[in-house]
Structure formats: C-alpha cells, structure tokens
Amino acid sequence: MTTPTKAILTFDNGAAPIELPVQAGTYGPDVIDIRALNQHGYLTYDPGFMSTASCTSGISFIDGEAGVLYYRGYPIEQLVQHADFLEVAWLLLFGELPLPAEKADFSQQVRRNAMLHDQINNVFRGFRRDAHPMAVMVGVTGAMSAFYHDSSDVFDAASRVQTAVHLIGKVPTIAAMSYKYNMGEPFVYPQYQLGYAENFLHMMFSTPCESYEVNPVLARALDRIFILHADHEQNASTSTVRLAGSSGANPYACIAAGMASLWGPLHGGANEAVLKMLAEIGDVSRIPEFIERAKDKQNPFRLMGFGHRIYKNMDPRAAFMRQTCHEVLEELDLVDDPLFRIALELERIALQDEYFIARKLYPNVDFYSGIVFRALGIPPSMFTAIFALARTVGWVAQWNEMLADSSHRIGRPRQHYNGATRRDYVPEHLRGA
Ligand code: CMC
C-alpha cells in the first residue's frame, strides 16, 4: 500500500472533520502529524508513548518484527564485526563512518579527555562507601556540570561536539572510579595510550600493587558490548536526555538524568535479574520446573532475559552477545561454568517450547550480557553502570541532533486532566465540619 498524504479525523457529534498530514520516514510506520490538533481544541492521549513518535531522528532504527537494528543505516551485525566503539561513536554523532585521519584524531581526543578534574575526587569522597555505583555515577556526572558549565554553550555546534568528546572520554573514568570507591581501592588513573575498552578494564582492575596486563580478547569483547548498547531509538533514558536537554540545560546534568532513568529495573537492570535466576535454578535438572513456572498464568515468575517489547524476532544484539559470551568463556577457560551450562540448556529448552514459540519470546541481549560481565569479574552492581557508559554515546548523539535542529522546541507534553473541578479555599478551622 502506498503512503497516504493525509488522514481525516471525523467526530460523531457533527463537528467538522480535521485533516492531518501523513509523513513517511525512511523505514517504520508512517506518521500522522497531529501538531495542528490543539488549534482545534483536542489533544492526543498516549501514556507510555506506545503510538507516539516524539521526534524525528536519523540515528538508529529498530524493526522488531524483522529483528533489525541499524545505526545510521548500518546493520549492527556489520558494525560489531568490523568497527570499534569509537568508530561507532563518531558514526552516531556525525552520521558517517570516519575517514582514517578523523578516526585517529577523534580517538586521540577522547582518550586525552579521560582524566577528571582532580577536585572531582572530593565529590566521590562525599558518598558512603557502600553506595550503589549507579547512585555515585548519577551524582558525579551531575556534579560535572559545576566543573564545565561555562564552557558548554549548547547552542553552538562546536561546543556541543567538545562536550560530547568530554563525556565519552570521562564517563568510563567515572564508572571505574565508582567501582573502586565501592571496593575501597585507590582510584586508577586512565592511560592515554590504551584503547577505549582496554583503558576501562585497566581502570577497573589494576591496582598500584601489581602490574595488570589487559587481555586483548576480553577488551575486544567489552568493546563489542559497548557497540551493542550504544543507541536504541527513543527509549526511556534517551527520551529523558532529550526532554531535559530541550530546555538548554547543562549537558552533564542531562546525561545524569538519562543515567537515573536507565538505572530503573524496567530499563537497564534485567541482566542482573538473569544471573539471580540462573543461580536460583542452580542445576540443569531444575530447568523444566522453572519453565513451567514461567508458563503458569497464576505465577508472576517470568524467564528473565526472554522477550522484548519491540523485538518479536531474535534481538540482533543477542546473537552477538551469545557469540561474545562463548568467546569470553573459552578465553577464560570457563565453558564448564555451571551458570553458563544452565543458561545454554534453558535457552535450548525454551526455544523448542510451544509457549515461547507462539509468543515470539527469544533470548534478549540481557540474557547473555550478565554471564559475560560475571566472567570478566564485573560485579552485578556495575552492570547498569557499563550500560550507561556505552549509552552515553547514544545520549550525546541524540542530544546533539535535537539541538542542531533549528525547529527544536522545549519539550512540554500536555495532559488529560481528571482532577477536581474548580472550588474555593476552605479556611483551616472550617475543614471537616
Ligand atoms: N517469560 C514468560 N512469559 C513471558 C515472558 C517471559 N520472560 N515475557 C513475556 N511473556 C508472556 C506474557 O506473559 C504474555 O503472555 P500472554 O499473552 O499469555 O498473556 C506474552 O508473553 C506477551 O507479554 P507482554 O508482557 O505483553 O510483553 P511486553 O512486550 O509487554 O514485555 C518484556 C516485554 C521484556 C517486559 C517481557 O518480555 C519481560 O518481562 N521479559 C523478562 C524481563 C527481561 O528480560 N527484560 C529485558 C528486556 S531487553 C532490555 C533492553 O532492550 O533494554
């Protein structure tokens, strides 16, 4: 069917119909442009934005039925196999793959921006040692706005790029310092000569007491994980960054807001839940029991790491996460790890089960990522922090795209009011009378 040019909204009370333009995107559903609707005295109602395109964007695209994810038109499969994370960061920010000189320059700039202002150490010291690393990340990233406020002119394109480089460079350092602080270990400074993922592993796991060699297979695996998590259309945290940034707010504060949103268990926390579930299953012999629990409508239990709101076919990120999982466990000689064995058997049984087939419930990216992180020695409390580190690239790209658009306006959703009708103030002594 061809794209219609307009939709006509009719009413059952004899009011004149309203014509609304229809626009086609490159891919995805056509969009009914309802901007003129409020001039006719109507609003649309769509809690959770299930049927609302909140913006026009050219950064990433998901086709959940086909199991497709593109960054700037490039399939995620190709990027994860052939590109590295900073190349993908450039692509997301600027829309094209970098030329070799551009890539080298960008990579150099990001690396040289990895160190934090020394006074930020004092911000860390204000937190309890047992604070969750995400709480610390949200706080410290927000506090960066106090260090870089004057230099970030959000309406200047060059300044926005500089801010993007700062954030991409510094967020891994904040994440690693949050971990070290929680562990009670000294902070480890970044090494400019190391690659992006290598440097993160170095800041996480080296100590002043012994030398630490970054394993290149593990660094590559982590780099892939960063690529797989870099952007994902207008999810809750990305929409949060856009909405916060739409007022011209300080970008570090906006990214902190995105982190806060990501931290929620409905967004970034599922891989931690997968590990807990695998530990609870405990032995392959108990898998059928858990599968039955997941299928029982009287039981709220769900198989963690299965299903996705958008992907109704295999999540393309999950296939690579699965491969990465195998590579990491082989490298670390952990293929006989009991949790991994349970995960593989659970996956095999569920994929053959009519309940999961009928509902198109496939393993998602979180099913494997927790196992990889655990094998890398990363504790569950850091899983979302790593997601935030990778997603910072998508957040800054989306924030930059929004502010570069001359038609951008402050985000200001309306509401469907169902509160009290107008009434007069009652003095305190007459209340309850
Ligand atoms: N285990 C068992 N049954 C399930 C599961 C599951 N994991 N997921 C969905 N179902 C069933 C559900 O009970 C329903 O059955 P019925 O039609 O008989 O009532 C049907 O499948 C459709 O479920 P839904 O709740 O309408 O699907 P949704 O799109 O609203 O939810 C989801 C998507 C991801 C929240 C859900 O699949 C889920 O809770 N999965 C487990 C948690 C998880 O792994 N979350 C991580 C998602 S990926 C994160 C990311 O991309 O950022």
Side-chain angles (χ1 to χ4, degrees):
M1 215 187 298
T2 54
T3 302
T5 54
K6 62 186 175 200
I8 299 170
L9 186 61
T10 58
F11 302 89
D12 64 1
N13 65 350
I18 301 171
E19 281 191 6
L20 300 165
V22 178
Q23 291 165 17
T26 315
Y27 295 120
D30 297 334
V31 169
I32 302 173
D33 181 345
I34 52 108
R35 277 177 293 181
L37 210 49
N38 67 353
Q39 293 159 20
H40 296 271
Y42 290 99
L43 299 175
T44 55
Y45 178 64
D46 185 21
F49 304 114
M50 303 281 287
S51 298
T52 297
S54 62
C55 61
T56 297
S57 179
I59 297 178
S60 57
F61 172 75
I62 304 168
D63 181 340
E65 287 297 329
V68 157
L69 170 61
Y70 298 152
Y71 289 168
R72 298 284 192 183
Y74 293 100
I76 191 73
E77 295 84 342
Q78 295 183 16
L79 294 171
V80 90
Q81 284 178 90
H82 305 300
D84 63 41
F85 181 66
L86 289 183
E87 199 175 337
V88 169
W90 172 283
L91 172 70
L92 291 171
L93 267 174
F94 302 113
E96 298 297 335
L97 291 168
L99 298 172
E102 289 170 331
K103 182 178 166 185
D105 182 53
F106 182 69
S107 165
Q108 160 100 330
Q109 281 190 54
V110 169
R111 288 174 201 208
R112 297 198 75 83
N113 270 288
M115 196 160 65
L116 305 185
H117 191 293
D118 200 48
Q119 236 174 300
I120 292 184
N121 289 356
N122 300 335
V123 179
F124 275 94
R125 297 194 198 291
F127 287 96
R128 286 170 58 129
R129 283 276 175 195
D130 60 357
H132 193 285
M134 276 305 287
V136 179
M137 273 190 83
V138 170
V140 174
T141 307
M144 299 260 287
S145 56
F147 291 83
Y148 301 101
H149 187 64
D150 291 343
S151 57
S152 351
D153 176 358
V154 300
F155 299 109
D156 175 68
S159 175
R160 283 199 303 274
V161 169
Q162 190 54 49
T163 300
V165 167
H166 272 182
L167 274 157
I168 298 167
K170 292 183 196 312
V171 168
T173 312
I174 298 175
M177 286 171 81
S178 303
Y179 170 69
K180 288 293 195 190
Y181 189 73
N182 185 261
M183 296 292 288
E185 290 183 9
F187 295 141
V188 173
Y189 285 87
Q191 293 281 322
Y192 290 159
Q193 79 281 8
L194 294 177
Y196 195 77
E198 273 180 306
N199 186 42
F200 180 66
L201 288 171
H202 158 76
M203 291 188 292
M204 285 281 290
F205 296 120
S206 71
T207 71
C209 306
E210 58 187 344
S211 58
Y212 173 79
E213 283 288 316
V214 179
N215 179 326
V217 175
L218 303 187
R220 175 68 187 133
L222 195 60
D223 198 73
R224 278 180 156 189
I225 294 174
F226 292 165
I227 293 174
L228 294 173
H229 287 85
D231 198 54
H232 216 219
E233 288 189 356
Q234 307 307 318
N235 54 79
S237 57
T238 301
S239 300
T240 301
V241 171
R242 276 186 176 258
L243 191 57
S246 73
S247 69
N250 181 286
Y252 298 91
C254 297
I255 298 299
M259 289 176 177
S261 169
L262 184 76
W263 189 13
L266 298 185
H267 196 353
N271 48 15
E272 201 172 331
V274 171
L275 275 196
K276 279 193 191 134
M277 177 189 72
L278 295 176
E280 199 189 332
I281 295 175
D283 189 89
V284 283
S285 64
R286 296 190 64 208
I287 291 175
E289 178 197 323
F290 279 76
I291 297 260
E292 286 316 308
R293 276 174 61 190
K295 289 157 59 174
D296 179 359
K297 289 290 148 212
Q298 308 309 318
N299 195 324
F301 174 77
R302 285 186 165 195
L303 275 194
M304 286 294 117
F306 275 77
H308 197 277
R309 168 59 59 80
I310 309 235
Y311 293 115
K312 298 303 175 194
N313 201 325
M314 188 74 175
D315 175 345
R317 302 169 304 166
F320 279 95
M321 195 58 94
R322 187 180 196 278
Q323 189 185 324
T324 301
C325 192
H326 280 273
E327 284 169 13
V328 165
L329 294 174
E330 267 162 35
E331 177 66 19
L332 295 172
D333 211 9
L334 288 174
V335 272
D336 287 327
D337 176 71
L339 285 200
F340 184 51
R341 290 268 146 239
I342 295 170
L344 288 185
E345 188 59 9
L346 180 65
E347 178 197 44
R348 192 186 67 76
I349 295 176
L351 287 178
Q352 290 172 1
D353 191 297
E354 197 41 48
Y355 174 96
F356 291 88
I357 294 169
R359 289 167 182 75
K360 301 182 175 175
L361 299 171
Y362 296 90
N364 58 47
V365 69
D366 288 323
F367 186 69
Y368 307 101
S369 62
I371 301 170
V372 178
F373 288 150
R374 179 171 169 272
L376 292 175
I378 295 168
S381 63
M382 280 298 290
F383 291 0
T384 317
I386 293 176
F387 190 166
L389 179 172
R391 186 54 60 83
T392 294
V393 164
W395 290 332
V396 290
Q398 299 265 355
W399 166 81
N400 183 44
E401 180 185 64
M402 175 186 67
L403 291 167
D405 178 355
S406 55
S407 66
H408 125 266
R409 306 181 70 180
I410 185 169
R412 184 23 174 121
R414 302 294 300 274
Q415 63 171 5
H416 178 217
Y417 177 70
N418 72 348
T421 53
R422 187 202 176 280
R423 47 191 170 163
D424 289 320
Y425 179 78
V426 180
E428 214 172 318
H429 67 281
L430 293 180
R431 288 176 213 162

